[in-house]
mmCIF file of all heavy atoms in Angstrom:
data_model
loop_
_atom_site.group_PDB
_atom_site.id
_atom_site.type_symbol
_atom_site.label_atom_id
_atom_site.label_comp_id
_atom_site.label_asym_id
_atom_site.label_seq_id
_atom_site.Cartn_x
_atom_site.Cartn_y
_atom_site.Cartn_z
ATOM 1 N N VAL A 204 -6.105 -12.828 -13.364
ATOM 2 C CA VAL A 204 -7.388 -12.150 -13.151
ATOM 3 C C VAL A 204 -7.264 -11.284 -11.899
ATOM 4 O O VAL A 204 -6.881 -11.768 -10.831
ATOM 5 C CB VAL A 204 -8.536 -13.165 -12.990
ATOM 6 C CG1 VAL A 204 -9.847 -12.436 -12.718
ATOM 7 C CG2 VAL A 204 -8.662 -14.032 -14.239
ATOM 8 N N CYS A 205 -7.579 -10.022 -12.060
ATOM 9 C CA CYS A 205 -7.405 -9.034 -10.998
ATOM 10 C C CYS A 205 -8.783 -8.627 -10.479
ATOM 11 O O CYS A 205 -9.684 -8.342 -11.268
ATOM 12 C CB CYS A 205 -6.674 -7.856 -11.629
ATOM 13 S SG CYS A 205 -6.560 -6.419 -10.612
ATOM 14 N N MET A 206 -8.964 -8.628 -9.173
ATOM 15 C CA MET A 206 -10.267 -8.302 -8.585
ATOM 16 C C MET A 206 -10.111 -7.384 -7.378
ATOM 17 O O MET A 206 -9.010 -7.192 -6.887
ATOM 18 C CB MET A 206 -10.975 -9.584 -8.176
ATOM 19 C CG MET A 206 -11.436 -10.410 -9.363
ATOM 20 S SD MET A 206 -11.917 -12.074 -8.845
ATOM 21 C CE MET A 206 -13.424 -12.268 -9.784
ATOM 22 N N THR A 207 -11.231 -6.887 -6.894
ATOM 23 C CA THR A 207 -11.193 -5.908 -5.811
ATOM 24 C C THR A 207 -12.335 -6.096 -4.827
ATOM 25 O O THR A 207 -13.380 -6.631 -5.195
ATOM 26 C CB THR A 207 -11.254 -4.480 -6.389
ATOM 27 O OG1 THR A 207 -11.206 -3.542 -5.320
ATOM 28 C CG2 THR A 207 -12.544 -4.230 -7.171
ATOM 29 N N PHE A 208 -12.121 -5.667 -3.603
ATOM 30 C CA PHE A 208 -13.199 -5.617 -2.608
ATOM 31 C C PHE A 208 -13.873 -4.239 -2.598
ATOM 32 O O PHE A 208 -14.724 -3.979 -1.764
ATOM 33 C CB PHE A 208 -12.631 -5.891 -1.200
ATOM 34 C CG PHE A 208 -12.373 -7.345 -0.898
ATOM 35 C CD1 PHE A 208 -11.381 -8.043 -1.548
ATOM 36 C CD2 PHE A 208 -13.125 -8.014 0.066
ATOM 37 C CE1 PHE A 208 -11.123 -9.379 -1.269
ATOM 38 C CE2 PHE A 208 -12.879 -9.354 0.363
ATOM 39 C CZ PHE A 208 -11.878 -10.043 -0.304
ATOM 40 N N SER A 209 -13.466 -3.359 -3.505
ATOM 41 C CA SER A 209 -13.922 -1.963 -3.435
ATOM 42 C C SER A 209 -15.313 -1.743 -4.011
ATOM 43 O O SER A 209 -15.932 -0.724 -3.726
ATOM 44 C CB SER A 209 -12.953 -1.057 -4.205
ATOM 45 O OG SER A 209 -11.684 -1.061 -3.608
ATOM 46 N N LYS A 210 -15.774 -2.645 -4.866
ATOM 47 C CA LYS A 210 -17.031 -2.383 -5.571
ATOM 48 C C LYS A 210 -18.158 -3.232 -4.967
ATOM 49 O O LYS A 210 -18.823 -2.790 -4.044
ATOM 50 C CB LYS A 210 -16.843 -2.648 -7.069
ATOM 51 C CG LYS A 210 -15.598 -1.977 -7.672
ATOM 52 C CD LYS A 210 -15.634 -0.453 -7.572
ATOM 53 C CE LYS A 210 -14.367 0.181 -8.145
ATOM 54 N NZ LYS A 210 -14.325 1.627 -7.953
ATOM 55 N N SER A 211 -18.335 -4.451 -5.446
ATOM 56 C CA SER A 211 -19.469 -5.262 -4.969
ATOM 57 C C SER A 211 -19.364 -5.550 -3.475
ATOM 58 O O SER A 211 -20.374 -5.757 -2.818
ATOM 59 C CB SER A 211 -19.536 -6.572 -5.751
ATOM 60 O OG SER A 211 -18.361 -7.333 -5.559
ATOM 61 N N ARG A 212 -18.162 -5.561 -2.912
ATOM 62 C CA ARG A 212 -18.004 -5.910 -1.494
ATOM 63 C C ARG A 212 -17.927 -4.690 -0.570
ATOM 64 O O ARG A 212 -17.600 -4.820 0.621
ATOM 65 C CB ARG A 212 -16.794 -6.823 -1.296
ATOM 66 C CG ARG A 212 -17.038 -8.241 -1.838
ATOM 67 C CD ARG A 212 -15.990 -9.229 -1.346
ATOM 68 N NE ARG A 212 -16.243 -10.589 -1.817
ATOM 69 C CZ ARG A 212 -15.642 -11.171 -2.861
ATOM 70 N NH1 ARG A 212 -14.749 -10.495 -3.549
ATOM 71 N NH2 ARG A 212 -15.925 -12.415 -3.202
ATOM 72 N N SER A 213 -18.221 -3.523 -1.099
ATOM 73 C CA SER A 213 -18.413 -2.321 -0.255
ATOM 74 C C SER A 213 -17.232 -2.001 0.644
ATOM 75 O O SER A 213 -17.404 -1.560 1.775
ATOM 76 C CB SER A 213 -19.656 -2.496 0.639
ATOM 77 O OG SER A 213 -20.821 -2.674 -0.118
ATOM 78 N N MET A 214 -16.014 -2.236 0.158
ATOM 79 C CA MET A 214 -14.861 -1.984 1.027
ATOM 80 C C MET A 214 -13.809 -1.072 0.383
ATOM 81 O O MET A 214 -12.610 -1.201 0.651
ATOM 82 C CB MET A 214 -14.229 -3.316 1.481
ATOM 83 C CG MET A 214 -15.064 -4.017 2.556
ATOM 84 S SD MET A 214 -14.484 -5.705 2.954
ATOM 85 C CE MET A 214 -12.863 -5.381 3.641
ATOM 86 N N ALA A 215 -14.263 -0.118 -0.422
ATOM 87 C CA ALA A 215 -13.326 0.799 -1.088
ATOM 88 C C ALA A 215 -12.403 1.485 -0.081
ATOM 89 O O ALA A 215 -11.221 1.702 -0.336
ATOM 90 C CB ALA A 215 -14.089 1.843 -1.895
ATOM 91 N N GLY A 216 -12.957 1.823 1.089
ATOM 92 C CA GLY A 216 -12.174 2.522 2.100
ATOM 93 C C GLY A 216 -11.192 1.639 2.840
ATOM 94 O O GLY A 216 -10.294 2.127 3.520
ATOM 95 N N ALA A 217 -11.361 0.307 2.697
ATOM 96 C CA ALA A 217 -10.477 -0.615 3.428
ATOM 97 C C ALA A 217 -9.210 -0.919 2.657
ATOM 98 O O ALA A 217 -8.195 -1.281 3.244
ATOM 99 C CB ALA A 217 -11.216 -1.915 3.742
ATOM 100 N N ARG A 218 -9.251 -0.764 1.348
ATOM 101 C CA ARG A 218 -8.106 -1.031 0.465
ATOM 102 C C ARG A 218 -7.758 -2.511 0.461
ATOM 103 O O ARG A 218 -6.896 -2.973 1.221
ATOM 104 C CB ARG A 218 -6.873 -0.185 0.844
ATOM 105 C CG ARG A 218 -7.129 1.279 1.107
ATOM 106 C CD ARG A 218 -7.927 1.983 0.028
ATOM 107 N NE ARG A 218 -7.288 1.897 -1.268
ATOM 108 C CZ ARG A 218 -7.903 1.395 -2.362
ATOM 109 N NH1 ARG A 218 -9.143 0.934 -2.320
ATOM 110 N NH2 ARG A 218 -7.262 1.350 -3.503
#
Side-chain angles (χ1 to χ4, degrees):
Chain A
V204 178
C205 171
M206 290 167 136
T207 180
F208 281 68
S209 296
K210 311 298 178 185
S211 61
R212 288 194 178 99
S213 300
M214 285 172 64
R218 314 310 302 124

